[in-house]
Amino acid sequence: MNDWFALGLLDYINPICYTAFTIIGFFYFRKIMRPAFFYIYFVGAIISLIGGFFIPTIKTLIGLGVLEWGLPVSKVIIANTGFLISGPTLFIGTLKPLRKESPNNNVTLNSFGLLAVDLAFLNKFIVGFGALGMIMIYVTCGKLAIEKKRYYALITLFISLCGTLFESVYSNSGTDLNSTAVHLVIEVGAVITHLMLVLSAYLLFIYKAKKQAKES
């Protein structure tokens, strides 16, 4: 079996896991976020998923000989654009003064102005700052885990965050990105990272609720 074909199949685990995270988070974030924030976040998440599914598809097609080898740079940019949109919006939209129950509408408008400026500025550095958007999603979930006292979720989030940082540093440390061995290290790290992220979402949003439902 062609190495790139196998890596492409392995890489599908990552967008599948992120889809699961997005679906789990969808119902909780929609409850606490104001619609304007939530829909911007959700659009960003969809953009990330589109890029995320394109990347393994390109690798698989290369492995099958349908396409010639080339790094899927444009698809990575799509995924990072989504993280850049969804990360800051999720972080800002889940701040207590800006949630649905808060009457402070002026803060919401001011925050949107700040977010627009940030996005216009960061757009020039979209690939590098895509990782920052993803980190803000981790920070947001970590903040909610502390708020809800979901400490196991906090641990799995930390492991997932470490995986994300490792992938970013390793892939930008001068490694040969044309090497299948290098991509294998990146993909294995990414799979562990995304599995931990889904586990975090389960522990944060579902596990305790199911437990409380059984007890009541």
Coordinates of all heavy atoms in Angstrom, one line a residue, residues 124-161:
K124 N -3.3 38.9 7.6 CA -2.0 38.9 6.8 C -1.1 37.7 7.3 O -0.2 37.4 6.6 CB -1.3 40.2 7.1 CG -2.1 41.4 6.6 CD -1.3 42.7 6.9 CE -2.1 43.9 6.5 NZ -1.4 45.2 6.8
F125 N -1.4 37.2 8.5 CA -0.5 36.2 9.0 C -1.4 34.9 9.3 O -1.2 34.3 10.3 CB 0.2 36.7 10.3 CG 0.8 38.0 10.1 CD1 0.2 39.1 10.5 CD2 2.1 38.0 9.6 CE1 0.8 40.4 10.4 CE2 2.8 39.3 9.5 CZ 2.1 40.4 9.8
I126 N -2.3 34.6 8.4 CA -3.3 33.7 8.7 C -2.9 32.3 9.0 O -3.4 31.6 9.9 CB -4.3 33.6 7.5 CG1 -5.7 33.2 8.0 CG2 -3.8 32.8 6.3 CD1 -6.8 33.6 7.0
V127 N -1.8 31.8 8.4 CA -1.4 30.4 8.6 C -0.8 30.3 10.0 O -1.2 29.4 10.8 CB -0.3 30.0 7.6 CG1 0.2 28.6 7.9 CG2 -0.9 30.0 6.2
G128 N 0.1 31.2 10.4 CA 0.7 31.2 11.7 C -0.3 31.4 12.8 O -0.2 30.8 13.9
F129 N -1.2 32.3 12.6 CA -2.2 32.6 13.6 C -3.4 31.7 13.7 O -4.2 31.8 14.5 CB -2.6 34.1 13.5 CG -1.7 35.1 14.0 CD1 -0.7 35.6 13.2 CD2 -1.7 35.4 15.3 CE1 0.2 36.5 13.6 CE2 -0.7 36.3 15.8 CZ 0.2 36.9 15.0
G130 N -3.5 30.8 12.7 CA -4.5 29.8 12.8 C -4.4 28.9 14.0 O -5.3 28.5 14.7
A131 N -3.1 28.6 14.3 CA -2.8 27.8 15.5 C -3.3 28.6 16.8 O -3.7 28.0 17.8 CB -1.3 27.5 15.6
L132 N -3.1 29.9 16.7 CA -3.5 30.8 17.9 C -5.0 30.7 18.0 O -5.5 30.6 19.2 CB -3.1 32.2 17.6 CG -3.6 33.2 18.7 CD1 -3.0 32.9 20.0 CD2 -3.2 34.7 18.3
G133 N -5.8 30.6 16.9 CA -7.2 30.5 17.0 C -7.6 29.1 17.7 O -8.5 29.1 18.5
M134 N -6.9 28.1 17.3 CA -7.1 26.8 17.9 C -6.8 26.8 19.4 O -7.6 26.2 20.2 CB -6.3 25.7 17.2 CG -6.6 24.3 17.6 SD -8.3 23.8 17.1 CE -8.5 22.3 18.0
I135 N -5.7 27.4 19.8 CA -5.3 27.5 21.2 C -6.4 28.3 22.0 O -6.7 27.9 23.1 CB -4.0 28.2 21.3 CG1 -2.9 27.3 20.8 CG2 -3.7 28.7 22.8 CD1 -1.5 27.9 20.7
M136 N -7.0 29.3 21.3 CA -8.1 30.0 22.0 C -9.3 29.2 22.3 O -10.1 29.4 23.2 CB -8.5 31.3 21.2 CG -7.4 32.3 21.2 SD -7.9 33.9 20.5 CE -8.8 34.6 21.8
I137 N -9.6 28.2 21.4 CA -10.6 27.2 21.6 C -10.3 26.4 22.9 O -11.2 26.1 23.7 CB -10.9 26.3 20.4 CG1 -11.4 27.2 19.2 CG2 -11.8 25.2 20.7 CD1 -11.5 26.4 17.9
Y138 N -9.0 26.0 23.0 CA -8.6 25.2 24.2 C -8.8 26.1 25.4 O -9.2 25.6 26.5 CB -7.1 24.8 24.0 CG -6.9 23.6 23.1 CD1 -6.2 23.8 21.9 CD2 -7.4 22.4 23.4 CE1 -6.0 22.8 21.1 CE2 -7.1 21.3 22.6 CZ -6.4 21.5 21.4 OH -6.2 20.4 20.6
V139 N -8.3 27.3 25.3 CA -8.4 28.2 26.5 C -9.9 28.4 26.9 O -10.2 28.4 28.1 CB -7.8 29.6 26.2 CG1 -8.1 30.6 27.3 CG2 -6.3 29.4 26.0
T140 N -10.8 28.6 25.9 CA -12.2 28.7 26.2 C -12.8 27.5 26.9 O -13.4 27.6 28.0 CB -13.0 29.0 24.9 OG1 -12.5 30.1 24.3 CG2 -14.5 29.2 25.2
C141 N -12.5 26.3 26.4 CA -13.0 25.1 27.0 C -12.4 24.9 28.4 O -13.0 24.4 29.3 CB -12.7 23.9 26.1 SG -13.6 23.9 24.6
G142 N -11.1 25.3 28.5 CA -10.4 25.2 29.8 C -11.1 26.1 30.8 O -11.3 25.7 32.0
K143 N -11.4 27.3 30.4 CA -12.1 28.3 31.3 C -13.5 27.7 31.7 O -13.9 27.8 32.9 CB -12.3 29.6 30.5 CG -13.2 30.6 31.1 CD -13.1 31.9 30.3 CE -13.6 31.8 28.9 NZ -15.1 31.7 28.8
L144 N -14.2 27.1 30.8 CA -15.5 26.5 31.1 C -15.3 25.3 32.0 O -16.2 25.1 32.9 CB -16.2 26.1 29.8 CG -16.7 27.3 28.9 CD1 -17.2 26.7 27.6 CD2 -17.7 28.1 29.6
A145 N -14.3 24.5 31.8 CA -14.0 23.3 32.7 C -13.8 23.8 34.1 O -14.3 23.1 35.0 CB -12.8 22.5 32.1
I146 N -13.0 24.8 34.3 CA -12.8 25.3 35.6 C -14.0 25.9 36.2 O -14.4 25.6 37.4 CB -11.7 26.4 35.6 CG1 -10.3 25.8 35.2 CG2 -11.6 27.1 36.9 CD1 -9.2 26.8 34.9
E147 N -14.8 26.6 35.4 CA -16.1 27.2 35.9 C -17.1 26.1 36.3 O -17.8 26.2 37.3 CB -16.7 28.0 34.8 CG -17.9 28.7 35.1 CD -18.4 29.5 33.8 OE1 -17.6 30.2 33.2 OE2 -19.6 29.3 33.5
K148 N -17.1 25.0 35.6 CA -18.0 23.9 35.9 C -17.4 22.8 36.7 O -18.0 21.8 37.0 CB -18.5 23.3 34.5 CG -19.3 24.2 33.7 CD -19.4 23.7 32.2 CE -20.3 22.5 32.1 NZ -21.7 22.8 32.3
K149 N -16.1 23.0 37.2 CA -15.4 22.1 38.0 C -15.3 20.7 37.3 O -15.4 19.7 38.0 CB -16.0 22.0 39.4 CG -16.0 23.3 40.1 CD -16.7 23.1 41.5 CE -16.6 24.4 42.3 NZ -17.2 24.4 43.6
R150 N -15.0 20.7 36.0 CA -14.7 19.5 35.3 C -13.2 19.3 35.1 O -12.7 19.6 34.1 CB -15.4 19.5 33.9 CG -16.9 19.9 33.9 CD -17.7 18.7 34.5 NE -19.1 18.9 34.1 CZ -20.1 19.5 34.8 NH1 -19.7 20.0 36.0 NH2 -21.3 19.6 34.4
Y151 N -12.6 18.8 36.2 CA -11.1 18.8 36.2 C -10.5 17.7 35.4 O -9.4 17.8 34.9 CB -10.6 18.7 37.7 CG -11.1 19.8 38.5 CD1 -11.9 19.7 39.6 CD2 -10.7 21.1 38.2 CE1 -12.4 20.8 40.4 CE2 -11.1 22.2 38.9 CZ -12.0 22.0 40.0 OH -12.4 23.1 40.7
Y152 N -11.2 16.6 35.2 CA -10.7 15.6 34.2 C -10.7 16.1 32.8 O -9.8 15.8 32.0 CB -11.6 14.3 34.3 CG -11.4 13.5 35.6 CD1 -12.4 13.3 36.5 CD2 -10.1 13.0 35.9 CE1 -12.2 12.5 37.6 CE2 -9.9 12.3 37.1 CZ -11.0 12.0 37.9 OH -10.8 11.3 39.1
A153 N -11.7 16.9 32.5 CA -11.8 17.5 31.2 C -10.6 18.5 31.0 O -10.0 18.6 29.9 CB -13.1 18.3 31.0
L154 N -10.2 19.1 32.1 CA -9.1 20.1 32.1 C -7.8 19.3 31.8 O -6.9 19.8 31.0 CB -9.0 20.8 33.4 CG -8.2 22.1 33.5 CD1 -8.8 23.1 32.5 CD2 -8.2 22.6 34.9
I155 N -7.6 18.1 32.3 CA -6.4 17.4 32.1 C -6.3 16.9 30.6 O -5.3 17.0 30.0 CB -6.4 16.1 33.0 CG1 -6.2 16.6 34.5 CG2 -5.3 15.2 32.7 CD1 -6.4 15.5 35.5
T156 N -7.4 16.4 30.1 CA -7.4 15.9 28.7 C -7.2 17.1 27.8 O -6.6 17.0 26.7 CB -8.7 15.2 28.4 OG1 -9.8 15.9 28.7 CG2 -8.7 13.8 29.1
L157 N -7.8 18.3 28.1 CA -7.6 19.5 27.3 C -6.1 19.9 27.3 O -5.6 20.3 26.2 CB -8.4 20.6 27.8 CG -9.9 20.7 27.4 CD1 -10.6 21.7 28.2 CD2 -10.0 21.1 25.9
F158 N -5.5 19.8 28.4 CA -4.0 20.1 28.5 C -3.2 19.2 27.6 O -2.3 19.6 26.9 CB -3.6 20.0 30.0 CG -2.1 20.4 30.1 CD1 -1.7 21.7 30.0 CD2 -1.2 19.4 30.4 CE1 -0.3 22.0 30.2 CE2 0.2 19.6 30.5 CZ 0.6 21.0 30.4
I159 N -3.5 17.9 27.7 CA -2.8 16.9 26.8 C -3.0 17.2 25.4 O -2.1 17.2 24.6 CB -3.3 15.5 27.1 CG1 -2.9 15.1 28.6 CG2 -2.7 14.5 26.2 CD1 -3.6 13.8 29.0
S160 N -4.2 17.6 25.0 CA -4.5 17.9 23.6 C -3.8 19.2 23.2 O -3.3 19.3 22.1 CB -6.1 18.1 23.4 OG -6.4 18.2 22.1
L161 N -3.8 20.1 24.1 CA -3.1 21.4 23.8 C -1.6 21.1 23.6 O -1.0 21.7 22.6 CB -3.3 22.4 24.9 CG -2.5 23.7 24.9 CD1 -2.8 24.5 23.6 CD2 -2.7 24.6 26.1

